[in-house]
Amino acid sequence: MTDESSPFYSYDRSSVGWLYPRKERGLDILNEDLARIVEANVELVPDPLLRELIVEGLRGQLHAKRGRKRLPSRIARDLYIVSLYDDLLPRLQARAGKRSAAGEKKWAVNLAPAEKAYAVIGRYMGMVPERVRNIVSQIKCR
């Protein structure tokens, strides 16, 4: 119902006017309530496909994004790892530059500065260096 002059505008559960008193009183408005109103009032969303998708989304019938959900604590941990890497890498590169300038020979078992940073951070965080490398690469390549 879209006739605002009707006395039933605020009381009809399929009317947009039904939402206003509920919102003012702080009552819950459910997804099902919105789906019912969108279905009953075609003029609110004129495109039929969009209207159908909105109703399905409100009813939880659309597929969610695939993959593991990113927890805020995991995101913070990953950003901390990248900040450690950004802090440690220049120091390791400077140290390697000083060694090469001094003429010290690099042994085959010595790691490159980036690989050494992955190993140090991995030990500190309790991870394998490959995991640290993947986290840093994933965040830096965004």
Side-chain angles (χ1 to χ4, degrees):
M1 169 182 293
T2 58
D3 184 15
E4 294 182 29
S5 63
S6 170
F8 299 106
Y9 182 69
S10 298
Y11 301 104
D12 184 10
R13 293 176 58 90
S14 62
S15 168
V16 177
W18 180 78
L19 295 172
Y20 290 103
R22 292 188 65 81
K23 182 71 175 172
E24 288 171 2
R25 286 186 256 153
L27 298 174
D28 290 337
I29 298 173
L30 306 176
N31 288 345
E32 184 57 39
D33 298 331
L34 297 177
R36 181 181 56 251
I37 291 170
V38 168
E39 280 181 327
N41 300 292
V42 179
E43 66 279 357
L44 291 175
V45 183
D47 188 284
L49 176 63
L50 180 61
R51 184 174 51 251
E52 178 185 338
L53 290 174
I54 288 173
V55 169
E56 286 178 7
L58 288 169
R59 290 187 172 143
Q61 297 170 346
L62 294 180
H63 294 287
K65 184 178 174 184
R66 295 181 60 175
R68 184 181 294 175
K69 305 294 184 262
R70 302 283 302 197
L71 298 174
S73 60
R74 236 179 102 201
I75 293 170
R77 182 204 63 194
D78 291 353
L79 291 174
Y80 178 62
I81 288 172
V82 171
S83 69
L84 286 175
Y85 177 79
D86 288 341
D87 183 52
L88 184 60
L89 183 63
R91 290 187 292 173
L92 292 174
Q93 287 172 333
R95 192 166 79 181
K98 286 179 187 174
R99 282 187 182 160
S100 67
E104 289 185 28
K105 185 177 178 184
K106 180 180 178 293
W107 297 91
V109 294
N110 290 353
L111 296 174
E115 294 299 321
K116 180 127 177 115
Y118 298 140
V120 169
I121 294 169
R123 259 193 319 270
Y124 177 68
M125 297 296 291
M127 301 176 165
V128 293
E130 291 79 15
R131 176 72 180 129
V132 175
R133 181 181 340 124
N134 289 341
I135 290 170
V136 170
S137 173
Q138 179 185 17
I139 291 179
K140 287 204 171 260
C141 291
R142 283 186 194 166

